[in-house]
Structure formats: structure tokens, C-alpha cells
């Protein structure tokens, strides 16, 4: 058995140690908010936080994250109150929505490290997250908006 | 696909006994729509699976439910379609609950003949049937109140689901629903006049947004059923190949593997968890009969299209273009090539199935429910009415989910193991086994007279036909309407116009891809018109404008795009290109602004002016326009699927590049206010991006790009 710390809870899984974290989250732990897009760290749909850093769970073996703090979209807040979620709602960012868990996790990791990102910072942090619906202009605007919300006490 | 309201079924709606009303068990009102043309009014009471066929249910508990028969794939149907009902009923959007409709003939798309989310038809179709259903329901509810209070219907008011009488009497819709259901259908219930709109035309937040922010939105890949197993599928690497033999001994010994099932479309490995199935799939020893495509490659496909001979079908003939071309004082001729494209939805293909002796349940992200149902039935050895189809959210559609190729293996595997099975394709499976956007080899010829007037245009289109495979009766006696879009409706006022289409199959399946043949033909027609403008020594905008005198909506969007994008006023070193089209009843023009950076194309901005008639939800219209431009930009810059030895060479997003955040140009959109009936908006903006950029590249360099993607010319 592997013991994991996910969204603040201690969870056990019988997944093989080389199973990608993505599939442990989705199949073994039922956390399907984290999405499968490419399996090769090319699209960002599977992005989660590992010790606060944006991490592609599709290429991260579960044995490598034992003892680390894993956070998924389900654990970003309990009530969609994270400033990134609030900004995403305000700007109606998602279309099909499939990539948005990954976008939100990448954006929230960026803002945790850089509370006032420039457009270039956003380009650099978000270039790994593909959106086929083309929501990029709203993602950019929503990251700036989330940065404002964090400064004005919108943080939960 | 394009479907023009003026050409197809909606005109016949008035003649049909269209709406039906009935009582809901437990005391409520159901408004259903019966396509009397199908001759099955009994469908209203019972559909496959015993579910009532309905669009709108008003319950005794004041609940209002709309069964949306279009798939939510990001284009906003779960918001825009309920808005039409909420508007007619005078209730807030939040009061209308959305449920995905089951599969059934009664839910057939009235433009397209079967249950389809495609052709940018959802709002255009809902505009007719959902407003009618809402108006009928409202009239019946008011009629019930008027009877109870013995007052004139005209003295009643509705607001937020409550009917108020002249003396202040009040009844909720729920209280009136049972009595309303007993009334005859009113013959004269008309949808609201535009002047009375409270919701339609207002930017309204999407109802699906909250669930897409916390991981709770359920896509097909997220379906969970008790006892569910997972499957990975090994398919022939050569397209069209067949399984010769499989040795599954090693795979079957791996942890979690439940069974290896040879299905009609490949070998499915079923396991307790997905990753176990995925790993075990790699342990299969497979041998394939590669079939007729074993030596197929892209060069052969291109050469075949270029050399294709046969009888072309006429898609448009005004005057005598051949004669006028012979008489021309000056001619312009050019050929264009377009590649195969993958859809690359973010959510790879997947399907979950449960099969018992007499039932099959399908949980599937699909754009084509009835065909999914029939496909599952055939795979399960059941009748279609024994198959229920639950449409999940779709992680992108773009036409890919009009295909049902991923369904049989899921059904056959579920039947073989006697448990629910979720089959998931990898990204590589998805990219190498798509039904690709058709490639094309097209050409244009134009002739000017001695005065410099454009007298003749001939467009010759050569490509394989999607429709011939998917809907063969459509092309039995007519040119494939979904191969000649944006060409057959050539907008410019030229006395002699001919558009011919030569169907040339290439050995692999091609599929409908967002904007369908507009994505091919807009590039051809709008590049060619640009070539004509330059040959005539005219400004490309002025040249087009002068030829659009009989197309006021096209002319207006062209002028708006030019004015708002600052046509002719690009900053130093920047260059502009323009293109215009009509598609899906919507008129658009785009201006692209580019520069040349060390020999490479850099796109700075794209501006789009649009007349899509009455907007239902302007917020979603803007999303579809900007999103469509990004989709078109990916294809224009890099989109190309190539084959070698019958195998697709692009496997993932490193080899099939799409636009990312850091590659985004500035996008601008301006939508004109209009009271015309709504046009389609999900697709058309895709198609103008490539020609607008190609025309800008010519303005910058004097070089004409006649083949897509731009990367194939070494400039992107």
C-alpha cells in the first residue's frame, strides 16, 4: 500500500508504485477533476500541485510523491472561493472546460509564487497548458483579475 | 456542416403538427415536439427506454426542466437553449433545469434529419422549436389561469413563474400546470416580439461554468459506475488494417488484467484500473494485415488529388464562365493545396458501456446520439430501442464526436466481461485514428475584360467526401453540400461564375472538422480573390467591396472590419490581409496584421467583424468567435497530418502543434446588432484566419502562399 497526502487528507492506494499520479488520483481515489490529455507532459490538463509547485501528474510516478503535499482541483478550495476560481467565474473563462482544471492549477501555482505576474510571466507559466477552445485571452485576463482579488482580500 | 434555414426543414414546421402537450405523472405539464413527418406521434408518450419525449416539463412543484437535445461541448448550448425557454416563460434562467435528452427520433435536428450537434445549428434550430414550445406552454398556463378566474387572457401578467390576474390573484406555474395540461394546444401562441426580450440578447453567464472550476463537471472520461472496469484498445497502426493474430498470454498475466477481448475494431485489454490496461496493452503480441493502405503516404495522396480525373459536379453556374474565360483579355490562374487535419479534442475518445442480456447502457461524449445508439446496438447484438444513451459533457467536439468508431469496442468488451467497461483512447490512439479533415487540391481561374472588369470566375474543387461515407443518400443525386461551402455561395457580383466539385477518395476516412469545407474553400476563394485584386492593381479591400453591391450584409462586415482594424493604417513594418465570407447564415470579415521576423511569419492581431443576426447570448457569441479564430490559427500555422506506410506520423501535441498562450496574437471582435434570425456562430470564424494571414503575407513579401499550413512553406 502507498500512503499519500491529498488535499490535506491521508489516503491509501494499492496502485503499483510506477503508476502515474494522474491515474491514481482518477481511478483509485476517484478524483476525476484532474484530466488526462496527452500522457507526455505536453498539454497540462493533468496539472496538480506537489508541495505547491505545478506538476504534470501524467508523468509523475506515484512513488515519487509519497510524503509530499498533493493538491488537486477538488482541494483548491472547498467552495470555489480561491481567487483564481472567483476570477474564472467572473470572466466566464471555460468553454468545454476539459483543460480548465489544469489551467486553474497552473495559474494558482503561478500566483502563489508571483502575486503580480506580467503578461510575459503568464506566457511563461501557462505555455504548457493547451486549450483547444481558445480561452487564452480570458485566462490571461482572469489571472490578472485573480492577482487583484488576492491583493484586495479576495483570498480565502 | 452548413445548413441553411432557407433550404431545409424549418420552412415546413408550420405545416406540421409540431408541438404536443400532455400531462406529467404527478400533475404537471409536458410540452413535446412531434415531428409528424416521421409519422409517429405516439413517440411523444414513450421513447426508447420508456422516457417521455419532451422538451419542456413544468412540474407541480414549480420545477421547469428542459431536455436539451444538443451536446454541450463548450459552445454553450446548456445556457443559450434554456435562455430561449426562460424568455418565453418569463422566468429567470436559473429557474430552468437542464437535462441531456436521450437518443430518439423525436430529438432529430430539424435541419439535419438525425440527432446531431453540428453544422452550427443549435441556436438556429432552438430559435424555432424552443421558442415555439415556450410560447405554447405560456399560453396554456395563462389559459388555465384565465379559466379559473373567469377573466380575459389579455388581462394576465407573468413574472418569475407566477401568473397575476387583474384583481391581484396569483398562481404559480406549478399550481397551473395540471389544468394547463388538460387544455387543447393553442393554435396562435406566438413567440415574443423582440421588443419584449428580457434575456435574449443579453450577455448571460454560462450555467456550466461553476462545475468547470472545481472538478465536478462530468465528462465521458469521468463516468463512474459500480464494478466498472477499464479498457485500453490496440488498433491497427496502418489505417484500415485488420487483426491477423494476437498472443495475449503475457498481457493476461499482468496485475489487474481481467480479460483480453478481440473486438471488431481492435484488441481490448480490460483491467481493474486504467493504467493496468494501458501497461498490459503494450505486452500484447500483435500481428496485423495492413490491407490496401500499407503503402499509402502523403505524397501519393497529394499527387492523387492533383491528377484526379472524372466528371465534376456543378455546384454553381451563373452565365458561361468557360466562354467568358476564353474571351478574357487578362487571366489569373492559381492552384491551392490543403492538408489532412486532426480534431485533437482535449478529451481523448472514450466510451463507457454496460451490456446485459436485453439492455445496453451507453455513457458517451457524442454529437450524434441516434447513430451512437444504433452502433452500440449492433455491437451488443440488440435492437436500438434496447440501448440507452446518456450524453455526458464533451471535452471538445469539433466534429470528431460525430464519429462512432470508439463505441463498438467498449460495448463488445463490456459484453465479454459482464461488467461496466470504460474504454479510453490515449492521445496517440486519438491522433493516429481520427477521421481527418479532407485534404484538397483546388484551383481558380478568373478573366478580366479590356476595361479591367472581372467577367468570369471558375473554381474547381477536388477532395474526398465525408458525406458520401456518413450520409450516402445525400450525395446520391446531388453534389455533396458539405464539400462546396464558401464556394457554391460565391458572394461576389461577377456575371459568369462556375464552381465544380470532383470527389476523389484517398483510401482513409475523412470527417467533418469544425467549419467543414469552409475551412478548405474560404482559403481558396479568398486567396484567389486577393490574387485577382492584385492582378487588377486594386486594393484588396476596395476590390472586394466593389463586388459586394448585391450582398449588403457581407459588404457591411467587410467595411466594419476594415474600419475597425485600421485597414491601410498598419504600423511601420506591419502588413494586413483581409478576407470575407458567409457561412451558416452568418457574415464575417477578418483583417490579419502580421510582420516578417527573420523570414518568419509573426501574427500580431486578427480582427473579426460579424453579422450573425439576432444574438441570443452575446457572451457566448464572443467566445465562439475568438475560440474559432484560435482554432483556425493553429491549423493555419502548423496543422498537418501526414502518412507514411499507411500510418499517421503525428502522435501527440509535440508533433501536431496547436497555439499556446505565449503564441497568441491580439484578437478583436465586433458583432453588429441585427434583428435578422440568428446565424450559426460555432464554426465560421475558423475559416477566415488562414486566408487573412496568407493575404497579409503577400502584402508583406509579394509571395503567395498557396499551400497550408504555413509551416510547410518554412515560414511558421
Amino acid at each position: 500500500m502507498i500512503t499519500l497526502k491529498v488535499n490535506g487528507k491521508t489516503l491509501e492506494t494499492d496502485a503499483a508504485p510506477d503508476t502515474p499520479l494522474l491515474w491514481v488520483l482518477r481511478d483509485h481515489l476517484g478524483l476525476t477533476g484532474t484530466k488526462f490529455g496527452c500522457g507526455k507532459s505536453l498539454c497540462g490538463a493533468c496539472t496538480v500541485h506537489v508541495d505547491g509547485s505545478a506538476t504534470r501528474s501524467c508523468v509523475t510516478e506515484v512513488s515519487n510523491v509519497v510524503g509530499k503535499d498533493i493538491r488537486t482541483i477538488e482541494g483548491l478550495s472547498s467552495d470555489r472561493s480561491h481567487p483564481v476560481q472567483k476570477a474564472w467565474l467572473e470572466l466566464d473563462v471555460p468553454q468545454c472546460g476539459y483543460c480548465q482544471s489544469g489551467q486553474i492549477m497552473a495559474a494558482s501555482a503561478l500566483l502563489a509564487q508571483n502575486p503580480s505576474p506580467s503578461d510575459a510571466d503568464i506566457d511563461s507559466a501557462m505555455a504548457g497548458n493547451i486549450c483547444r477552445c481558445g480561452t487564452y485571452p480570458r485566462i490571461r485576463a482572469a489571472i490578472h483579475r485573480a492577482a487583484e482579488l488576492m491583493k484586495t482580500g479576495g483570498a480565502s | 456542416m452548413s445548413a441553411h434555414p432557407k433550404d431545409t426543414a424549418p420552412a415546413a414546421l408550420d405545416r406540421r403538427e409540431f408541438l404536443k402537450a400532455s400531462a406529467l405523472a404527478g400533475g404537471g405539464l409536458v410540452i413535446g415536439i412531434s415531428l409528424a413527418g416521421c409519422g409517429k406521434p405516439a413517440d411523444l408518450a414513450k421513447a426508447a427506454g420508456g422516457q417521455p419525449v419532451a422538451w419542456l416539463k413544468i412540474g407541480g412543484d414549480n420545477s421547469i426542466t428542459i431536455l436539451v437535445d444538443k451536446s454541450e461541448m463548450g459552445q454553450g448550448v446548456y445556457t443559450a437553449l434554456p435562455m430561449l425557454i426562460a424568455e418565453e416563460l418569463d422566468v429567470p434562467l436559473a429557474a430552468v433545469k437542464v437535462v441531456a435528452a436521450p437518443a430518439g427520433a423525436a430529438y432529430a435536428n430539424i435541419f439535419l434529419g438525425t440527432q446531431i450537434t453540428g453544422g452550427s445549428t443549435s441556436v438556429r434550430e432552438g430559435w424555432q422549436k424552443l421558442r415555439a414550445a415556450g410560447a405554447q406552454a405560456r399560453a396554456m398556463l395563462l389559459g388555465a389561469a384565465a379559466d379559473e378566474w373567469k377573466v380575459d387572457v389579455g388581462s394576465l401578467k407573468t413574472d418569475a413563474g407566477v401568473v397575476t390576474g387583474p384583481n391581484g390573484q396569483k398562481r404559480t406555474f406549478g399550481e397551473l400546470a395540471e389544468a394547463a395540461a388538460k387544455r387543447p394546444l393553442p393554435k396562435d401562441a406566438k413567440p415574443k416580439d423582440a421588443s419584449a426580450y428580457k434575456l435574449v440578447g443579453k450577455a448571460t453567464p454560462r450555467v456550466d461554468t461553476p462545475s468547470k472550476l472545481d472538478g465536478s463537471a462530468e465528462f465521458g472520461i469521468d463516468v463512474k459506475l459500480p464494478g466498472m472496469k477499464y479498457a485500453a484498445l490496440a488498433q491497427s497502426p496502418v489505417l484500415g488494417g485488420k487483426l491477423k493474430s494476437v498472443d495475449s498470454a503475457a498481457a493476461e498475466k499482468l496485475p489487474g488484467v481481467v480479460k483480453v477481448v478481440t473486438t471488431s475494431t481492435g484488441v481490448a485489454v480490460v483491467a481493474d484500473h486504467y493504467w493496468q490496461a494501458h501497461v498490459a496493452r503494450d505486452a500484447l503480441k500483435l500481428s496485423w494485415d495492413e490491407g490496401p493502405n500499407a503503402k499509402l503516404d502523403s505524397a501519393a495522396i497529394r499527387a492523387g488529388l492533383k491528377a484526379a480525373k472524372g466528371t465534376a459536379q456543378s455546384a454553381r453556374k451563373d452565365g458561361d464562365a468557360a466562354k467568358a474565360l476564353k474571351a478574357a483579355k487578362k487571366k489569373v490562374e492559381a492552384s491551392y493545396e490543403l492538408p489532412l487535419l486532426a480534431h485533437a479534442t482535449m478529451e481523448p475518445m472514450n466510451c463507457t458501456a454496460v451490456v446485459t442480456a436485453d439492455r445496453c447502457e451507453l455513457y458517451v461524449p457524442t454529437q450524434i446520439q441516434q447513430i451512437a445508439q444504433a452502433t452500440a446496438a449492433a455491437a451488443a447484438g440488440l435492437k436500438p430501442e434496447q440501448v440507452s444513451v446518456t450524453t455526458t459533457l464533451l471535452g471538445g467536439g469539433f466534429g470528431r464526436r460525430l464519429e462512432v468508431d470508439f463505441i463498438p469496442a467498449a460495448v463488445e468488451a463490456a459484453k465479454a466481461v459482464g461488467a461496466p467497461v470504460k474504454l479510453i483512447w490515449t492521445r496517440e490512439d486519438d491522433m493516429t485514428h481520427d477521421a481527418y479533415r479532407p485534404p484538397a487540391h483546388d484551383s481558380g481561374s478568373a478573366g478580366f475584360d479590356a476595361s479591367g472588369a472581372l467577367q468570369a470566375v471558375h473554381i474547381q474543387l477536388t477532395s474526398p467526401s465525408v458525406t458520401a461515407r456518413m450520409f450516402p443518400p445525400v450525395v446520391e443525386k446531388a453534389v455533396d453540400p458539405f464539400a462546396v461551402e464558401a464556394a457554391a455561395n460565391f458572394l461576389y457580383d461577377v456575371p459568369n461564375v462556375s464552381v465544380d466539385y470532383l470527389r476523389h477518395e484517398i483510401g482513409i476516412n475523412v470527417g467533418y472538422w469544425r467549419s467543414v469545407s469552409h475551412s478548405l474553400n474560404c482559403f481558396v476563394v479568398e486567396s484567389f480573390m486577393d490574387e485577382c485584386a492584385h492582378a487588377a492593381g486594386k486594393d484588396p479591400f476596395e476590390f472586394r467591396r466593389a463586388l459586394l453591391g448585391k450582398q449588403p450584409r457581407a459588404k457591411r462586415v467587410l467595411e466594419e472590419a476594415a474600419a475597425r482594424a485600421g485597414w491601410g493604417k498598419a504600423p511601420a513594418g506591419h502588413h494586413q490581409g483581409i478576407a470575407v465570407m458567409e457561412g451558416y447564415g452568418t457574415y464575417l470579415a477578418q483583417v490579419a496584421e502580421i510582420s516578417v521576423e527573420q523570414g518568419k511569419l509573426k501574427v500580431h492581431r486578427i480582427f473579426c467583424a460579424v453579422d450573425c443576426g439576432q444574438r441570443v447570448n452575446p457572451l457566448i457569441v464572443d467566445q465562439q468567435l475568438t475560440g474559432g479564430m484560435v482554432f483556425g490559427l493553429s491549423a493555419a500555422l502548423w496543422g498537418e497530418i501526414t502518412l507514411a506506410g499507411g500510418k499517421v506520423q503525428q502522435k501527440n501535441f509535440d508533433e501536431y502543434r496547436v497555439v499556446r498562450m505565449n503564441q497568441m496574437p491580439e484578437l478583436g471582435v465586433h458583432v453588429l446588432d441585427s434583428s435578422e434570425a440568428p446565424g450559426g456562430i460555432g464554426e465560421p470564424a475558423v475559416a477566415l484566419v488562414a486566408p487573412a494571414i496568407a493575404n497579409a503575407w503577400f502584402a508583406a513579401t509579394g509571395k503567395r502562399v498557396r499551400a497550408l499550413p504555413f509551416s510547410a512553406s518554412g515560414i511558421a
Side-chain angles (χ1 to χ4, degrees):
Chain A
M1 287 299 245
I2 292 174
T3 303
L4 295 174
K5 201 171 129 200
V6 182
N7 298 331
K9 290 182 203 146
T10 301
L11 300 171
E12 292 205 322
T13 173
D14 60 358
D18 61 352
T19 305
L21 174 61
L22 169 68
W23 296 107
V24 175
L25 293 169
R26 290 183 53 83
D27 288 3
H28 295 256
L29 304 179
L31 297 169
T32 51
T34 303
K35 297 301 190 237
F36 168 55
C38 70
K40 299 273 169 66
S41 189
L42 295 167
C43 80
C46 67
T47 305
V48 298
H49 298 173
V50 176
D51 287 342
S53 293
T55 301
R56 311 294 185 216
S57 64
C58 73
V59 292
T60 303
E61 292 187 5
V62 67
S63 58
N64 289 336
V65 292
V66 172
K68 296 186 179 173
D69 185 17
I70 301 159
R71 195 156 297 270
T72 71
I73 186 73
E74 291 90 347
L76 190 62
S77 70
S78 59
D79 53 1
R80 296 192 289 265
S81 60
H82 188 283
V84 169
Q85 290 168 310
K86 285 183 172 177
W88 248 243
L89 183 66
E90 203 178 297
L91 276 78
D92 246 300
V93 172
Q95 286 181 212
C96 92
Y98 192 80
C99 74
Q100 295 296 338
S101 297
Q103 304 279 2
I104 289 169
M105 296 310 281
S108 54
L110 165 67
L111 288 165
Q113 286 163 9
N114 179 355
S116 303
S118 65
D119 278 339
D121 295 334
I122 293 172
D123 278 351
S124 158
M126 303 301 292
N129 289 76
I130 293 173
C131 174
R132 286 287 279 157
C133 297
T135 64
Y136 301 122
R138 292 195 303 284
I139 290 175
R140 183 188 301 285
I143 291 174
H144 287 307
R145 176 66 183 141
E148 274 176 26
L149 289 172
M150 287 166 75
K151 287 187 192 87
T152 56
S156 54
Chain B
M1 288 170 287
S2 178
H4 293 271
K6 59 184 179 289
D7 298 337
T8 44
L13 275 182
D14 299 347
R15 297 195 299 272
R16 292 175 173 179
E17 191 183 0
F18 176 52
L19 290 153
K20 294 270 188 180
S22 61
L24 186 65
L29 171 64
V30 179
I31 299 281
I33 299 175
S34 169
L35 294 182
C38 302
K40 289 182 187 169
D43 275 357
L44 180 66
K46 294 281 173 187
Q51 292 155 301
V53 173
W55 268 259
L56 174 61
K57 300 181 196 174
I58 298 175
D61 58 356
N62 291 316
S63 62
I64 301 172
T65 306
I66 168 177
L67 278 80
V68 175
D69 56 13
K70 298 293 182 291
S71 308
E72 178 56 82
M73 49 195 191
Q75 86 286 38
V77 288
Y78 281 8
T79 303
L81 298 183
M83 280 174 73
L84 296 172
I85 293 282
E87 180 68 69
E88 295 301 326
L89 289 178
D90 275 330
V91 297
L93 179 59
V96 182
K97 186 184 169 205
V98 173
V99 172
Y107 297 108
N109 186 316
I110 57 179
F111 292 165
L112 299 168
T114 184
Q115 199 171 347
I116 279 186
T117 307
S120 291
T121 57
S122 296
V123 163
R124 287 186 289 161
E125 195 213 27
W127 186 252
Q128 315 224 5
K129 73 182 185 188
L130 295 178
R131 287 194 310 151
Q136 295 276 16
R138 178 189 155 88
M140 293 168 81
L141 293 161
L142 290 179
D147 277 5
E148 184 187 332
W149 298 329
K150 301 192 174 27
V151 298
D152 189 74
V153 168
S155 68
L156 304 179
K157 291 189 169 60
T158 54
D159 186 44
V162 176
V163 180
T164 304
N167 302 317
Q169 310 100 312
K170 289 192 189 294
R171 283 277 181 270
T172 67
F173 284 179
E175 289 166 343
L176 294 166
E178 191 170 357
K182 292 175 184 148
R183 300 177 59 78
L185 268 181
K187 297 275 180 226
D188 53 353
K190 286 202 178 65
K192 273 186 186 173
D193 188 75
S195 62
Y197 290 157
K198 294 176 186 165
L199 256 180
V200 167
K202 303 224 165 26
T204 306
R206 296 175 61 125
V207 300
D208 53 348
T209 298
S211 73
K212 291 174 175 177
L213 306 180
D214 62 5
S216 62
E218 189 174 81
F219 297 87
I221 204 168
D222 303 327
V223 167
K224 300 180 189 97
L225 296 173
M228 187 174 76
K229 306 295 180 190
Y230 296 79
L233 184 69
Q235 301 177 79
S236 168
V238 173
L239 292 173
K242 302 263 182 280
L243 183 69
K244 212 190 281 178
S245 68
V246 55
D247 173 357
S248 57
E252 281 167 8
K253 288 187 190 116
L254 291 171
V257 173
V258 174
K259 194 166 188 164
V260 175
V261 184
T262 296
T263 75
S264 56
T265 61
V267 180
V269 179
V270 184
D272 291 332
H273 295 289
Y274 172 73
W275 192 250
Q276 296 168 330
H278 181 96
V279 169
R281 183 181 73 161
D282 291 343
L284 294 172
K285 294 189 182 73
L286 296 157
S287 162
W288 303 98
D289 171 1
E290 295 188 333
N293 292 331
K295 293 185 175 151
L296 186 66
D297 66 24
S298 292
I301 290 173
R302 272 207 305 279
L305 285 163
K306 189 174 179 184
K309 298 269 188 295
T311 309
Q313 295 170 283
S314 175
R316 168 87 172 259
K317 190 166 174 18
D318 301 351
D320 188 338
K323 191 175 159 194
L325 281 166
K326 268 186 202 153
K329 292 292 174 228
K330 180 156 114 185
K331 277 202 226 179
V332 178
E333 291 184 326
S335 295
Y336 304 89
E337 281 190 310
L338 292 116
L340 291 157
L341 293 173
H343 296 83
T345 59
M346 288 310 298
E347 180 192 19
M349 296 305 106
N350 65 84
C351 179
T352 303
V354 187
V355 182
T356 58
D358 59 354
R359 295 281 306 156
C360 172
E361 294 169 24
L362 213 57
Y363 302 84
V364 62
T366 180
Q367 297 175 244
I368 192 155
Q369 286 78 4
Q370 286 173 277
I371 292 177
Q373 182 184 46
T375 301
L382 296 169
K383 295 177 185 143
E385 55 268 30
Q386 292 173 295
V387 179
S388 68
V389 177
T390 301
T391 304
T392 63
L393 291 175
L394 279 59
F398 314 133
R400 178 62 180 87
R401 290 184 157 101
L402 293 168
E403 302 293 332
V404 292
D405 51 337
F406 51 95
I407 292 175
V411 173
E412 292 166 38
K415 187 176 178 181
V417 300
V421 168
K422 175 156 71 185
L423 173 75
I424 302 172
W425 285 21
T426 63
R427 173 59 55 195
E428 290 81 1
D429 297 338
D430 189 285
M431 198 160 280
T432 59
H433 292 82
D434 200 347
Y436 304 94
R437 198 279 308 266
H441 182 98
D442 303 327
S443 59
S445 310
F448 293 86
D449 66 16
S451 74
L454 184 56
Q455 287 294 335
V457 170
H458 171 63
I459 306 284
Q460 167 69 47
L461 307 172
T462 303
S463 71
S465 165
V466 183
T467 311
R469 172 177 62 89
M470 288 190 69
F471 304 105
V474 174
V475 300
E476 259 168 30
K477 287 179 186 153
V479 62
D480 176 357
F482 306 125
V484 299
E485 299 153 311
N489 61 336
F490 184 80
L491 292 169
Y492 301 100
D493 187 13
V494 176
N496 303 286
V497 176
S498 61
V499 176
D500 294 326
Y501 170 67
L502 177 60
R503 180 182 157 205
H504 175 79
E505 295 302 329
I506 58 169
I508 62 168
N509 284 348
V510 288
Y512 297 120
W513 184 95
R514 191 177 185 183
S515 84
V516 188
S517 58
H518 295 90
S519 73
L520 301 166
N521 302 337
C522 278
F523 177 70
V524 173
V525 170
E526 283 302 288
S527 293
F528 187 62
M529 289 305 286
D530 217 66
E531 301 209 38
C532 289
H534 287 285
K538 303 258 177 68
D539 173 86
F541 160 64
E542 294 293 352
F543 179 77
R544 285 175 172 82
R545 183 165 73 157
L547 292 171
L548 289 173
K550 292 178 182 169
Q551 291 283 350
R553 295 177 76 185
K555 187 177 175 206
R556 175 128 185 253
V557 293
L558 184 81
E559 289 168 344
E560 289 282 346
R564 289 173 184 274
W567 178 257
K569 298 172 199 154
H574 287 206
H575 304 271
Q576 294 167 317
I578 195 164
V580 62
M581 70 179 281
E582 181 278 325
Y584 310 96
T586 290
Y587 294 80
L588 310 86
Q590 289 180 10
V591 173
E593 187 178 310
I594 68 149
S595 65
V596 183
E597 310 285 334
Q598 296 172 328
K600 301 273 188 187
L601 167 68
K602 179 168 174 64
V603 181
H604 293 273
R605 55 186 63 84
I606 308 173
F607 187 88
C608 186
V610 183
D611 170 3
C612 61
Q614 169 72 53
R615 281 173 286 174
V616 173
N617 189 339
L619 178 134
I620 295 174
V621 168
D622 284 2
Q623 290 185 346
Q624 287 301 301
L625 289 168
T626 54
M629 288 154 79
V630 178
F631 202 84
L633 182 61
S634 291
L637 293 176
W638 306 302
E640 183 173 31
I641 288 290
T642 57
L643 282 96
K647 298 176 189 172
V648 170
Q649 294 178 289
Q650 293 73 27
K651 295 187 170 59
N652 212 316
F653 288 116
D654 48 350
E655 295 164 320
Y656 191 77
R657 292 176 65 192
V658 298
V659 169
R660 294 168 182 271
M661 174 74 89
N662 57 326
Q663 295 150 337
M664 278 289 291
E666 182 188 327
L667 300 180
V669 165
H670 178 73
V671 185
L672 299 169
D673 286 328
S674 169
S675 56
E676 300 271 355
I681 206 66
E683 297 175 82
V686 174
L688 284 181
V689 174
I693 295 174
N695 294 342
W697 181 259
F698 182 83
T701 65
K703 289 178 189 148
R704 183 61 62 178
V705 176
R706 297 194 180 93
L708 291 178
F710 295 117
S711 58
S713 303
I715 60 170

